[in-house]
Amino acid sequence: MDARQAVDTMVVYLGQNGLKMTAQRRTVTEVFYDPDLRGAHPTVEELYIKVREADSRIGYATVYRTLKLLTECGLASARRFGDNQTRYEPTSPDDHHDHLVCSKCGAILEFEDAEIEKLQDVIAARFGFSLTDHKMVLFGEPINGNCETTCNKSEH
Amino acid sequence: MDARQAVDTMVVYLGQNGLKMTAQRRTVTEVFYDPDLRGAHPTVEELYIKVREADSRIGYATVYRTLKLLTECGLASARRFGDNQTRYEPTSPDDHHDHLVCSKCGAILEFEDAEIEKLQDVIAARFGFSLTDHKMVLFGEPINGNCETTCNKSEH
DNA sequence: ATCCATGCAAAGGATTTGCAAAGAT
DNA sequence: ATCTTTGCAAATCCTTTGCATGGAT
């Protein structure tokens, strides 16, 4: 999903809830969906800095509030990777990816694995539960010790 | 591991690091390992309250500091299950369990699954990583809608 | 005597909230 | 006109820290 589609989705969501699209909300949404931030998993602060570059009059609270709206309408997900920092990433409804974090350099890699998802369902069922969500983060070190090459790969 | 063993482990760890076992550290360790808290995944505050029942002169900071020591020597693990609360649980080195959280009543069930662990290794290897740790939390609802029966089961 | 530990209160960091002013329709 | 949004600062929540006092050897 690109920035324009995200903005459109926001407009619909806001409309359905008696809320309004504003210049600030548009800016935050666009920055959040900017291709520059692809795979960046930015913190609120990182996002705030980028937002400020686009419009220096936008306040911290507005970024928080807009991020909350984006999360509510499924356009954003909050993630936490053990470093006491909440990070956000754009999401689509059909997106089920999880993360692998390099414990050496902190790089965050994404992957999706149907087999693990299936197993998670089986485990939940074993307890009499139907799975509604899951969080999984793997932590590891490059086998060859080289983050430069190992942590910069993209798709798997 | 029971409270006594935990205390012994602490004594060794403290000794190795030029630190001392004290009445407060003993109390916190014993409370944390009390059978009453089995599977309770207490928050710091919950623990603090229990600790106070045992010795009302122990301060909040001491609970935090002791929990940190327990974590350092592998006797405790911090967990976070989406409710912005850090919870602690006793751990042993060979313990690899993960959690299933009931999204209705908040119950926290534990499970261990060798197959998922294996898959996690495979995924890490696919990226050229060797797995050092992982976090996995499943969220689900009781299929029969009944938390009373479903969320109180113990081992699987 | 020398270190370490403790309790308290203050400080920190992240996030939320109250409120008066500004904006949208 | 009415209702929402914004920016700021203040308030919260959780956790850590500085410091003077107390404890252990």
Side-chain angles (χ1 to χ4, degrees):
Chain A
M1 178 172 315
D2 65 12
R4 177 166 306 180
Q5 291 174 294
V7 170
D8 290 348
T9 305
M10 264 293 260
V11 170
V12 171
Y13 174 79
L14 293 169
Q16 286 171 342
N17 291 79
L19 307 175
K20 294 163 185 168
M21 176 50 87
T22 63
Q24 289 94 326
R25 287 176 178 165
R26 175 174 280 107
T27 299
V28 173
T29 305
E30 285 170 352
V31 167
F32 185 53
Y33 270 84
D34 190 295
D36 279 8
L37 289 183
R38 263 226 146 285
H41 302 87
T43 60
V44 178
E45 195 190 356
E46 286 164 355
L47 218 43
Y48 173 71
I49 290 168
K50 281 264 179 203
V51 164
R52 282 247 151 184
E53 287 170 13
D55 181 348
S56 66
R57 290 159 310 174
I58 295 181
Y60 228 129
T62 299
V63 175
Y64 270 101
R65 290 191 271 233
T66 306
L67 235 16
K68 196 175 183 188
L69 291 170
L70 286 163
T71 303
E72 281 166 21
C73 70
L75 289 171
S77 290
R79 308 275 179 185
R80 218 173 247 267
F81 305 109
D83 60 348
N84 282 0
Q85 293 265 63
T86 303
R87 294 170 178 282
Y88 286 84
E89 64 177 352
T91 43
S92 7
D94 54 329
D95 182 14
H96 284 213
H97 74 261
D98 292 298
H99 300 89
L100 168 60
V101 178
C102 174
S103 17
K104 274 196 163 173
C105 74
I108 301 167
L109 307 173
E110 301 183 349
F111 68 89
E112 198 166 330
D113 189 282
E115 207 170 337
I116 281 201
E117 302 238 340
K118 208 182 303 168
L119 268 172
Q120 290 173 336
D121 268 330
V122 169
I123 289 165
R126 204 185 293 160
F127 281 86
F129 280 78
S130 120
L131 212 60
T132 56
D133 195 11
H134 77 265
K135 294 184 197 299
M136 179 165 72
V137 184
L138 308 183
F139 298 88
E141 301 180 330
I143 293 169
N144 63 17
N146 186 340
C147 293
E148 304 288 310
T149 59
T150 310
C151 301
N152 294 317
K153 290 181 184 174
S154 48
E155 295 295 321
H156 280 71
Chain B
M1 180 171 313
D2 65 11
R4 177 165 307 178
Q5 291 174 293
V7 170
D8 290 347
T9 305
M10 264 293 260
V11 170
V12 171
Y13 175 79
L14 293 169
Q16 287 171 343
N17 291 79
L19 308 175
K20 295 164 185 168
M21 175 51 85
T22 63
Q24 289 93 327
R25 287 175 178 166
R26 185 185 308 275
T27 300
V28 173
T29 305
E30 284 171 352
V31 167
F32 185 53
Y33 269 85
D34 191 293
D36 279 9
L37 289 183
R38 261 224 148 286
H41 302 88
T43 61
V44 177
E45 194 190 356
E46 286 163 355
L47 218 43
Y48 173 71
I49 290 168
K50 282 264 181 202
V51 164
R52 283 247 151 184
E53 289 171 12
D55 180 348
S56 66
R57 291 160 309 175
I58 294 181
Y60 229 120
T62 298
V63 175
Y64 270 101
R65 290 191 270 232
T66 306
L67 236 16
K68 196 175 182 188
L69 291 170
L70 286 164
T71 303
E72 281 165 22
C73 69
L75 289 170
S77 291
R79 307 274 180 186
R80 218 172 246 268
F81 305 109
D83 60 347
N84 282 359
Q85 293 264 63
T86 303
R87 294 170 178 282
Y88 285 84
E89 64 176 353
T91 42
S92 6
D94 54 330
D95 182 13
H96 285 211
H97 73 262
D98 291 298
H99 299 89
L100 168 59
V101 178
C102 175
S103 18
K104 275 196 161 172
C105 75
I108 300 167
L109 306 173
E110 301 182 349
F111 67 89
E112 199 167 328
D113 191 281
E115 207 170 337
I116 282 201
E117 301 237 341
K118 208 181 303 169
L119 268 172
Q120 291 172 336
D121 268 330
V122 169
I123 289 165
R126 204 185 293 159
F127 281 86
F129 281 79
S130 120
L131 211 60
T132 55
D133 194 11
H134 76 264
K135 295 184 196 298
M136 180 165 72
V137 184
L138 307 183
F139 298 88
E141 302 180 330
I143 293 169
N144 64 15
N146 185 341
C147 293
E148 305 287 311
T149 59
T150 310
C151 300
N152 294 318
K153 291 181 184 173
S154 45
E155 295 296 321
H156 279 72

